[in-house]
Amino acid sequence: MSGKQRLITDVFAQHKKELSRVGKTKVATTTVDESVHDVDSETAQQLLRDKEIDVLKQFDLCWEYGPCTGISRLERWERAEKHGMNPPDQVRRLIMKHEDETNYTQSLWHDYPL
Amino acid sequence: MSEESTDNVTFQRPSSTYENLSTRFLQKDRNFQRQYAHLYAERLCSMRPRLLETAKRRWGESVVMRKLYEMKAEEKCCIVGTLFKSMELKPSILKEISEDHNLVPQPARDKYIADSDTLILEDELQRIVLVGNVDVQKAITGVVVAVSGHERDDGKFEVDDFCMADLPVQLPPKQLDEDRYVVLVSGLGLGEEGHHLMNLQLLLDLITGQLGSPEEQEVYSKVVRVIIAGNSLSRNTQQTDVLSTAKYLSRKVKAGTVEAVKALDDVLAQLASCVAVDVMPGPSDPAFCFLPQQPLHRCMFPQASVYPTMQSVTNPYEASVDGVRFLGSSGQNITDIFQYTDMEDGIGILEATLSANHIAPTAPDTLACYPYYNEDPFIMSECPHVYFAGNQTKFQSRIFKGNAGQKVLLVTVPRFVSSHACVLLNLRNLQCTPVVFSSNIGSE
């Protein structure tokens, strides 16, 4: 039992660490030769990112659009659109803007095995 | 006799218009990572508007439509959801694993129904047990229905009435001024032990016009298409023991299907030289078992595939021949429902699937099917004129009349290997007759 629980928290911790590490290294490289102003813009970007991811998470958690595991967010959005449920257009725009980032394209549960 | 030899009549086979409408059954991608929840969600979403419409017409515009979570106790309302039959005897892999240690595997049965079966209605979020005016053993898992009634104190739903969606609109068939026929045949069973090919050869010769009196030849010259509805190869050709034997033992063993496929190629070549042929795969053919089964590859039929008339198609298969819309399967959908309901009749089950607007409602529950997420190709979006199922025990046919004047001919096509019969269907008046071949030649 305890072994299993640790595994889940590991996944959560890793996920968060990765995100923050990416942010930190970027900050570190820029601060070497750039001004303090850029550090601020980096944190601002991070904040914006968090907000965007949050919007996408809310979309995942909206049950009206059907199950979200195993398919990409865009696929789910398009299915909802097909059934005339009017999914928020912002979600689609966000996904399209970050087409190469799994954080944006895949659902909340993407990292978990089925 | 002398008259026949002097008077050489030739009958011209009429040409027909044909359109293959099965593209939705063709596999576009192969992703097996998904769960089946998507298919059920998709099915419910697609069927809901149609059911709401039917429910309003049946129970009046003022009927209260609720989702399960909005339902109030004792309020009379109408709910749209997917049926699920909870069955104790249903074979379950989990049960088998948990009982692995000490018990014998569950026995194979003809039917898995029991008195303790209960019917459950599911919508997007919740499920509720149905009681009252529903026949549990007639219900089919996976069918989307609308029920009207109220929730009882004990949390069960008392059903007063229920309905399924109306059939979609049917285009009137084209009026033909002459007889034209389509032959339906299934279960050729090549490779079956003790199977005498004489009857099959009679069938081929009759269709290709090498047999019969001039009158018969005239009739069979008007056959414009032959649809072979699955199981062209016998189940015996699938040697599953090869899988469990060591490779070095089975290396030199020829697969049992090879000879049978060669024989099938012969059969198809004879037919395709004269008439258009559609070959559907069935559960015992060399194709994937899950629905929709993909067309058998042309390279299996080197002789037959040179003819443009030979076509390998999907199962289920939908096509329009001279304006008559055919829809049908190789019969595994019907056989599967047979096991999980008390319906005995192939034609009755076929009718039930038609009124459910769904070719294979038990997929993915007890019938293997591809995990679709954004479409359910088994939903009937247009009403066919002929709805058939292959590999049934006997020939039966029936006219089904829809609420909006739709007329659908239901046909169960018997296994050729056991019944020696095919079905001759007249496109002009949608009448069908079985043609039975029986010979004593070759059998002692």
Side-chain angles (χ1 to χ4, degrees):
Chain A
M1 269 314 268
S2 63
K4 254 186 184 173
Q5 274 178 343
R6 214 185 307 136
L7 187 78
I8 290 170
T9 46
D10 275 354
V11 174
F12 263 117
Q14 266 179 3
H15 198 69
K16 274 191 174 171
K17 255 184 232 161
E18 259 171 36
L19 257 184
S20 54
R21 212 184 297 135
V22 171
K24 265 178 199 164
T25 45
K26 266 189 191 167
V27 174
T29 48
T30 46
T31 42
V32 175
D33 43 10
E34 299 287 328
S35 63
V36 188
H37 174 73
D38 279 324
V39 182
D40 283 347
S41 77
E42 280 289 340
T43 43
Q45 242 173 26
Q46 186 60 47
L47 273 176
L48 180 70
R49 225 183 129 81
D50 287 350
K51 247 185 201 162
E52 287 177 348
I53 295 284
D54 204 51
V55 170
L56 294 175
K57 275 184 188 170
Q58 287 310 316
F59 172 69
D60 284 346
L61 296 176
C62 202
W63 63 266
E64 281 92 345
Y65 306 131
C68 70
T69 54
I71 58 173
S72 73
R73 279 187 175 134
L74 191 62
E75 285 171 331
R76 186 159 176 265
W77 191 92
E78 277 164 357
R79 180 177 65 191
E81 176 77 5
K82 191 186 97 181
H83 288 297
M85 295 171 180
N86 299 319
D89 198 46
Q90 188 196 6
V91 171
R92 196 182 65 90
R93 270 185 277 120
L94 280 178
I95 301 167
M96 299 305 252
K97 214 168 97 190
H98 303 268
E99 268 176 306
D100 306 324
E101 295 168 69
T102 41
N103 274 348
Y104 282 86
T105 55
Q106 299 298 331
S107 83
L108 185 55
W109 316 107
H110 177 62
D111 293 332
Y112 297 84
L114 287 176
Chain B
M1 272 303 184
S2 59
E3 207 182 77
E4 218 180 299
S5 53
T6 50
D7 188 21
N8 275 333
V9 213
T10 41
F11 301 109
Q12 186 69 38
R13 205 178 283 278
S15 62
S16 70
T17 58
Y18 166 79
E19 196 186 346
N20 189 338
L21 303 164
S22 305
T23 39
R24 67 194 153 112
F25 297 122
L26 284 172
Q27 210 90 67
K28 281 142 230 140
D29 55 351
R30 282 170 193 278
N31 179 353
F32 290 90
Q33 297 297 309
R34 292 188 288 264
Q35 297 194 345
Y36 285 117
H38 295 285
L39 185 55
Y40 280 120
E42 174 65 29
R43 190 180 294 174
L44 186 55
C45 259
S46 312
M47 294 298 289
R48 174 165 273 136
R50 281 159 73 171
L51 274 158
L52 291 181
E53 202 179 296
T54 315
K56 284 208 171 125
R57 222 201 39 240
R58 194 179 168 106
W59 298 313
E61 285 290 326
S62 58
V63 69
V64 188
M65 295 290 176
R66 289 269 186 245
K67 293 200 173 176
L68 281 177
Y69 74 96
E70 299 167 330
M71 204 165 52
K72 294 175 201 120
E74 298 298 329
E75 180 200 37
K76 195 166 158 54
C77 61
C78 164
I79 295 167
V80 176
T82 313
L83 286 180
F84 176 79
K85 195 146 89 177
S86 169
M87 307 178 77
E88 202 180 335
L89 295 177
K90 188 164 87 176
S92 147
I93 186 70
L94 291 175
K95 228 188 238 173
E96 270 174 41
I97 291 171
S98 67
E99 289 170 359
D100 229 7
H101 318 289
N102 47 7
L103 282 171
V104 283
Q106 289 172 283
R109 295 159 181 263
D110 280 351
K111 283 186 179 290
Y112 295 100
I113 52 175
D115 290 339
S116 58
D117 296 345
T118 49
L119 202 58
I120 294 167
L121 189 79
E122 297 181 339
D123 71 358
E124 287 93 338
L125 292 174
Q126 285 178 327
R127 45 165 43 188
I128 193 165
V129 176
L130 297 183
V131 288
N133 183 23
V134 278
D135 188 345
V136 177
Q137 296 308 356
K138 290 274 183 295
I140 306 168
T141 293
V143 172
V144 184
V145 296
V147 294
S148 140
H150 64 271
E151 189 185 3
R152 296 196 315 201
D153 286 341
D154 58 358
K156 290 179 178 168
F157 192 84
E158 178 82 35
V159 179
D160 300 331
D161 196 9
F162 75 101
C163 70
M164 285 182 268
D166 280 334
L167 279 183
V169 187
Q170 184 181 46
L171 296 172
K174 205 166 73 182
Q175 286 302 315
L176 294 173
D177 42 14
E178 53 164 6
D179 289 339
R180 274 186 205 171
Y181 299 95
V182 166
V183 168
L184 296 169
V185 61
S186 74
L188 298 181
L190 294 167
E192 175 113 350
E193 274 169 51
H195 176 30
H196 301 289
L197 295 174
M198 189 60 201
N199 298 320
L200 181 55
Q201 196 57 50
L202 285 175
L203 165 73
L204 298 181
D205 288 347
L206 196 63
I207 294 173
T208 54
Q210 298 173 56
L211 204 69
S213 61
E215 292 77 38
E216 281 175 312
Q217 287 188 351
E218 191 181 358
V219 169
Y220 286 95
S221 72
K222 292 189 179 129
V223 172
V224 291
R225 188 162 282 271
V226 177
I227 298 176
I228 301 177
N231 288 8
S232 308
L233 268 52
S234 159
R235 186 164 287 286
N236 300 343
T237 58
Q238 294 180 328
Q239 293 152 322
T240 42
D241 50 327
V242 176
L243 298 172
S244 53
T245 46
K247 268 226 170 95
Y248 74 93
L249 284 175
S250 59
R251 196 173 48 196
K252 284 185 179 147
V253 178
K254 213 173 177 186
T257 43
V258 175
E259 284 304 313
V261 169
K262 270 187 192 157
L264 177 61
D265 186 24
D266 259 354
V267 169
L268 295 177
Q270 291 182 48
L271 278 177
S273 65
C274 292
V275 62
V277 186
D278 296 329
V279 186
M280 292 162 61
S284 69
D285 286 326
F288 275 131
C289 68
F290 59 80
L291 289 178
Q293 287 187 300
Q294 298 302 295
L296 298 168
H297 201 282
R298 290 183 78 85
C299 73
M300 285 199 268
F301 312 114
Q303 296 178 59
S305 60
V306 293
Y307 296 100
T309 42
M310 149 78 195
Q311 199 187 195
S312 195
V313 298
T314 55
N315 167 38
Y317 173 51
E318 184 159 27
S320 139
V321 183
D322 275 330
V324 176
R325 205 179 173 102
F326 283 76
L327 174 65
S329 71
S330 299
Q332 56 268 72
N333 51 345
I334 307 302
T335 319
D336 189 64
I337 294 171
F338 173 84
Q339 292 181 316
Y340 296 100
T341 59
D342 71 352
M343 291 187 270
E344 296 288 344
D345 230 15
I347 197 100
I349 299 172
L350 195 66
E351 187 178 326
T353 59
L354 181 70
S355 47
N357 282 262
H358 202 278
I359 305 169
T362 49
D365 184 42
T366 47
L367 193 62
C369 101
Y370 181 75
Y372 286 99
Y373 76 94
N374 63 349
E375 57 168 345
D376 184 352
F378 306 116
I379 293 176
M380 293 175 199
S381 44
E382 264 188 69
C383 184
H385 299 108
V386 179
Y387 183 45
F388 66 92
N391 299 300
Q392 299 303 304
T393 44
K394 54 180 186 240
F395 163 79
Q396 281 173 302
S397 77
R398 187 186 286 175
I399 297 278
F400 179 88
K401 288 203 169 89
N403 287 335
Q406 300 98 327
K407 251 174 81 180
V408 184
L409 174 69
L410 306 169
V411 187
T412 58
V413 186
R415 266 178 228 103
F416 190 81
V417 65
S418 52
S419 65
H420 312 300
C422 69
V423 178
L424 189 67
L425 196 151
N426 192 339
L427 294 176
R428 186 172 60 87
N429 50 15
L430 289 188
Q431 279 184 350
C432 62
T433 40
V435 183
V436 184
F437 302 86
S438 95
S439 70
N440 294 319
I441 310 168
S443 58
E444 277 91 69

